[in-house]
Amino acid sequence: MNLKEKLKNKTIAYWIGCAAALVGLIVFGVYKSRAGEGTGWIFALLIIGILAQVALFFYDGKFGDFIAVVPPVLYVLSLALGLSGGVGNIADAVSNIVMFGLPELAPLNYAIAVILGIATVAAIVPCFMSRERAEA
């Protein structure tokens, strides 16, 4: 199967998972550049998850089902780490009292939570479905 056929045969859930993870990586980079709390592990987990999805693009053999489980696990771990670093920001934004974090970063924390949540769900869906379209 050539590259053009592979691109055409991938399902929409595959592309949504890849896109949401990339957007999450970019949004977390913006958050981190504005002095947001978070570890480098979040970047590492997202990048490894994206690489696992890229591996599924080229490989759909015997171990494809095991590789498909890796991205959602890594995305949910990065989501948990991202939220734990932003709790102070969210608490300060909700209470209107600056004590723990930077309340102006709370919208980025919300965006990270939503985007990585979408990436996690979009990576879980192909685990239970075919990753390629069936020939009609």
Side-chain angles (χ1 to χ4, degrees):
M1 183 180 286
N2 64 20
L3 185 64
K4 187 176 181 180
E5 289 176 13
K6 278 195 165 293
L7 285 170
K8 189 172 65 171
N9 286 337
K10 290 297 177 184
T11 61
I12 191 73
Y14 176 83
W15 294 113
I16 290 172
C18 288
L22 285 172
V23 170
L25 187 66
I26 292 167
V27 171
F28 188 75
V30 169
Y31 170 73
K32 193 74 169 146
S33 72
R34 294 188 181 176
E37 273 190 51
T39 64
W41 280 105
I42 298 170
F43 286 114
L45 292 172
L46 285 172
I47 290 170
I48 294 169
I50 291 168
L51 290 176
Q53 284 192 307
V54 170
L56 283 174
F57 180 80
F58 294 106
Y59 176 79
D60 199 25
K62 186 176 181 181
F63 297 106
D65 292 335
F66 296 110
I67 296 171
V69 174
V70 173
V73 170
L74 296 178
Y75 296 160
V76 80
L77 286 173
S78 64
L79 173 62
L81 288 173
L83 284 177
S84 69
V87 169
N89 300 336
I90 294 170
D92 287 354
V94 169
S95 68
N96 261 351
I97 301 171
V98 178
M99 290 179 64
F100 301 112
L102 302 168
E104 60 271 6
L105 292 180
L108 283 174
N109 290 113
Y110 299 140
I112 290 169
V114 169
I115 292 167
L116 291 181
I118 290 170
T120 302
V121 171
I124 289 172
V125 169
C127 291
F128 298 101
M129 300 169 64
S130 174
R131 286 179 293 280
E132 292 191 2
R133 294 182 187 150
E135 295 293 323

